[in-house]
Amino acid sequence: EVQLVESGGGLVKPGGSLRLSCAASGFTFSSYSMNWVRQAPGKGLEWVSSISSSSSYIYYADSVKGRFTISRDNAKNSLYLQMNSLRAEDTAVYYCARGMTTYFDYWGQGTLVTVSS
Amino acid sequence: SYVLTQPPSVSVAPGQTARITCGGNNIGSKSVHWYQQKPGQAPVLVVYDDSDRPSGIPERFSGSNSGNTATLTISRVEAGDEADYYCQVWDSSSDQGVFGTGTKVTVL
C-alpha cells in the first residue's frame, strides 16, 4: 500500500524558515517523481514544486521560486521542502504527492504551515 | 501563465448527471486530470489523461477533453459524491503544474 506521511509543519514568524519532510513507503520511491502541492485555508489547490526521480529535473511555482528548495533522499525514501523567507501567504496545508507523467496519483494527508507573528 | 477556469458550484439531484467544466486555452492539446476532495481530506485522483479512471474509481466518473473545454461527468450522482473537484494539467511551456479554480458539487 502506497503511503505518504508529511511532517515538519508548524507556526513560524514571517521571514522565518521551515523544513517539511515526506516519508514514503509501499512503492519503489527512487522510480517516481515527487511533488509538493499546497492549499491555503478555504482556498483551492496550488502546485508548488516537482522533482524527478533522480533529482535531475526540478521545477517551482513562480510564487515560491528563490525561496523554497525541493530535494529528496532515495536511500531514505524521503522528500523534503526547505522553505525560507516565509510570508503570511505561504500559510497552507502542504501535501506531498507521487508523480505519474503529468498527474499526481497518491497524496499524503498534509501538514499545516502557519506563518504569523 | 496557463489558467484553468471552473464554475464555482454545481448542484445536482441524486441519480442525475453532474457535469463540471474546465476551461483553458487549447486545453484539448493537453492531458487533463481530475481530483475529488472531501472536507478535511486529501485530494483523490478520479480521472487521468482526459478519460482514464484509476482502479477503484466507479465507472460513473468519466472525462472528455476537446477544444478549449474539458469536462468531468458524474453519472447517477450519489450523496457521497458531494465534494470539491479540481482539474489539473502540466504546462510544458513553463514546466509548471496548474490546477483549476475548483468546483463545489452539492447533491440536493
Side-chain angles (χ1 to χ4, degrees), chain A residues 69-111:
Chain A
T69 302
I70 191 172
S71 62
R72 63 189 296 162
D73 185 336
N74 286 344
K76 294 183 177 179
N77 291 342
S78 292
L79 174 72
Y80 306 101
L81 186 67
Q82 177 66 44
M83 303 186 296
N84 298 331
S85 303
L86 283 161
R87 307 165 179 166
E89 54 265 36
D90 295 319
T91 294
V93 173
Y94 285 74
Y95 297 100
C96 72
R98 192 175 80 167
M100 289 287 291
T101 59
T102 59
Y103 60 95
F104 318 118
D105 62 345
Y106 287 95
W107 298 60
Q109 284 304 304
T111 187

Side-chain angles (χ1 to χ4, degrees), chain A residues 39 47 60 62 102-104 108, chain B residues 33 35 37 42 88 95-97:
Chain A
Q39 186 170 35
W47 171 82
Y60 296 100
D62 292 342
T102 59
Y103 60 95
F104 318 118
Chain B
H33 321 295
Y35 304 86
Q37 186 181 33
Q88 177 255 319
D95 282 327
Q96 295 184 340

Side-chain angles (χ1 to χ4, degrees), chain B residues 70-90:
Chain B
T71 303
L72 175 69
T73 300
I74 311 172
S75 304
R76 301 179 299 282
V77 166
E78 303 173 356
D81 298 332
E82 193 163 275
D84 294 325
Y85 291 84
Y86 296 90
C87 57
Q88 177 255 319
V89 301
W90 184 265

